[in-house]
Amino acid sequence: MVNLLEQVSQQARRHSIDNRAPASDSLNVAVDQAIENHLHSISLDDELDLRKRAQDQLFGFGVLQPLLDDEGIEEIWINGPDKIFIAKNGLASRVNGAISAVQISAICERMLRRSGRRLDRSSPFVDASLPDGSRFHAVIPDVTRSDWSINIRKFPSRVLSLSDLEMRGAVTGQQVKFLSDSVRAGKNILVSGATQAGKTTVLCALLEELPDVERVVTVEETFEIRLSAPDWVAMQTRQGSLEGSGEVTLRRLIKEALRMRPSRLVVGEVREAEALDLLIALNSGLPGLCTIHANSAREAINKICTLPLLAGQNITRQFVQPTVASCIDLVVHCQMVSSGQRKVREIHEVAYVDGELVTTEVHIGDDK
């Protein structure tokens, strides 16, 4: 069936080029011809499977398309030919399937086509968004040892609200009310957690609590944040050209966002010196939210106090700590438990007491 699939795909491409025909028509012609040539060896189920796989090959992302279509799969990663893995409900497993090095590079090229981002020896890492909103990341040799490495982080097909997360056991009813009231009151919220802890999902759920009159501006490295707000501008960073020009950094986006009359500023994730620009923006009275990688709520505050120091030697901890205390109201810490379920494990308030930055856990009533 694999050889037949390649034959159908090649014939469809040739037919489309030679006859200047739509690719969908050429695909039907190629499949019909294959069925006619193998009339006694292809069942109806085989024909339907052949059509679907040929469509994935020509219009989708080949052998990865069924995995992308499976709503239960949260993440897909490839370590090389015949090394395909997925995560479902937070748990990883290996997929029985083969993919050649040529197919991997072709799929990467197709995934990057709409993004305008490149992957080559001068730029061996790439982050991009797929048409369905999934996040695509790839690394190529010689940064990797021998094979291309691909990660595709999928997101729920619809934006989840705090109530949805409560139904899934990620938050309690008391937490929902507290967080909803906090967002609507204009509290500045830092959402923390490890990789795959559900930070972006919680961030989007918090944003869903905003009234429609709010103007939301989001900035991130690649588009991941989604919300249903009617007045929303989303911006992402951009790679520089081969000549080194045209790069748009996260720091630049935060500064530009302030000129766009936001009533709420959202940074997808702070990792480096852009933490300083975020703090300055929040210190001007603009409410905001962001995410950060950390193992606990207290470590998240320590990290947001450390990252601004990367902006330059003239930035000191004595300046940063009181600024953080005046800017960050709450830390919402997410964690994946052993079963693979994601939960909001801690909610901390932040204050500056007697010259010291202090975080205090909020005990809302329900067990977290």
Side-chain angles (χ1 to χ4, degrees):
M1 182 64 77
V2 174
N3 291 334
L4 184 56
L5 174 63
E6 277 303 316
Q7 292 173 18
V8 168
S9 299
Q10 292 175 9
Q11 184 177 342
R13 292 189 185 99
R14 284 197 301 269
H15 183 276
S16 180
I17 294 171
D18 294 344
N19 298 278
R20 296 183 179 180
S24 56
D25 294 346
S26 297
L27 175 61
N28 290 330
V29 170
V31 172
D32 291 342
Q33 185 64 51
I35 300 303
E36 192 172 317
N37 293 340
H38 300 80
L39 187 61
H40 300 293
S41 60
I42 296 183
S43 66
L44 178 59
D45 287 342
D46 289 337
E47 178 185 346
L48 294 175
D49 181 60
L50 178 61
R51 286 186 184 276
K52 176 64 171 65
R53 292 171 67 182
Q55 286 175 345
D56 293 343
Q57 190 92 338
L58 289 173
F59 308 119
F61 299 117
V63 297
L64 297 186
Q65 192 60 50
L67 304 179
L68 290 166
D69 292 338
D70 187 338
E71 294 188 359
I73 294 177
E74 301 163 352
E75 189 161 359
I76 305 163
W77 61 98
I78 302 173
N79 298 338
D82 307 327
K83 298 176 183 176
I84 306 175
F85 297 82
I86 61 170
K88 275 190 173 184
N89 299 318
L91 304 177
S93 62
R94 188 167 180 173
V95 174
N96 293 323
I99 182 169
S100 68
V102 172
Q103 287 176 312
I104 292 174
S105 62
I107 288 172
C108 281
E109 180 182 351
R110 188 174 297 180
M111 287 182 167
L112 289 174
R113 193 170 294 161
R114 295 187 183 182
S115 72
R117 302 191 176 194
R118 70 180 194 278
L119 186 64
D120 50 41
R121 289 187 63 85
S122 65
S123 182
F125 306 95
V126 70
D127 269 305
S129 297
L130 301 183
D132 67 351
S134 299
R135 190 187 74 189
F136 169 77
H137 179 265
V139 191
I140 61 174
D142 55 357
V143 173
T144 56
R145 182 183 294 274
S146 58
D147 299 313
W148 290 35
S149 174
I150 298 175
N151 281 74
I152 302 170
R153 176 82 60 82
K154 297 171 61 182
F155 296 96
S157 56
R158 66 181 181 86
V159 181
L160 300 178
S161 66
L162 287 176
S163 297
D164 293 325
L165 296 184
E166 181 186 359
M167 292 179 62
R168 298 181 177 208
V171 292
T172 67
Q174 293 284 353
Q175 287 174 336
V176 168
K177 184 178 187 311
F178 178 82
L179 291 174
S180 178
D181 290 345
S182 298
V183 172
R184 289 175 175 272
K187 296 288 183 70
N188 295 327
I189 301 176
L190 183 63
V191 181
S192 65
T195 301
Q196 281 287 315
K199 298 185 296 297
T200 303
T201 300
V202 170
L203 176 66
C204 293
L206 292 172
L207 294 174
E208 284 298 296
E209 299 299 311
L210 295 175
D212 288 346
V213 295
E214 295 244 12
R215 175 169 170 78
V216 182
V217 179
T218 62
V219 300
E220 47 194 332
E221 290 190 347
T222 57
F223 292 129
E224 295 183 31
I225 296 171
R226 293 182 297 165
L227 62 151
S228 58
D231 193 356
W232 169 39
V233 177
M235 297 189 290
Q236 68 174 3
T237 59
R238 186 176 68 192
Q239 286 180 307
S241 65
L242 289 172
E243 295 77 23
S245 62
E247 181 184 14
V248 178
T249 66
L250 205 54
R251 298 193 70 180
R252 172 70 182 275
L253 288 179
I254 293 174
K255 293 172 184 175
E256 294 298 326
L258 297 179
R259 301 185 175 100
M260 300 172 67
R261 199 182 178 274
S263 57
R264 196 79 56 145
L265 173 64
V266 183
V267 179
E269 182 177 347
V270 288
R271 297 180 180 178
E272 298 181 9
E274 66 272 0
L276 175 65
D277 303 280
L278 174 64
L279 292 177
I280 292 172
L282 299 182
N283 198 38
S284 67
L286 174 64
L289 302 90
C290 69
T291 70
I292 191 169
H293 276 91
N295 292 323
S296 69
R298 286 192 172 90
E299 287 186 27
I301 286 297
N302 289 335
K303 190 171 183 179
I304 201 69
C305 288
T306 302
L307 291 179
L309 305 182
L310 300 174
Q313 293 182 350
N314 59 328
I315 307 299
T316 65
R317 188 172 290 273
Q318 288 72 27
F319 161 77
V320 171
Q321 284 196 351
T323 304
V324 168
S326 65
C327 293
I328 305 298
D329 298 304
L330 294 175
V331 182
V332 179
H333 185 71
C334 308
Q335 183 177 332
M336 181 188 292
V337 298
S338 58
S339 64
Q341 187 180 22
R342 297 163 176 85
K343 288 179 175 290
V344 170
R345 301 298 292 182
E346 299 178 281
I347 300 175
H348 280 230
E349 291 181 324
V350 184
Y352 198 64
V353 180
D354 297 330
E356 293 291 334
L357 188 63
V358 177
T359 68
T360 306
E361 185 169 5
V362 180
H363 296 284
I364 299 173
D366 289 349
D367 292 335
K368 298 185 285 298

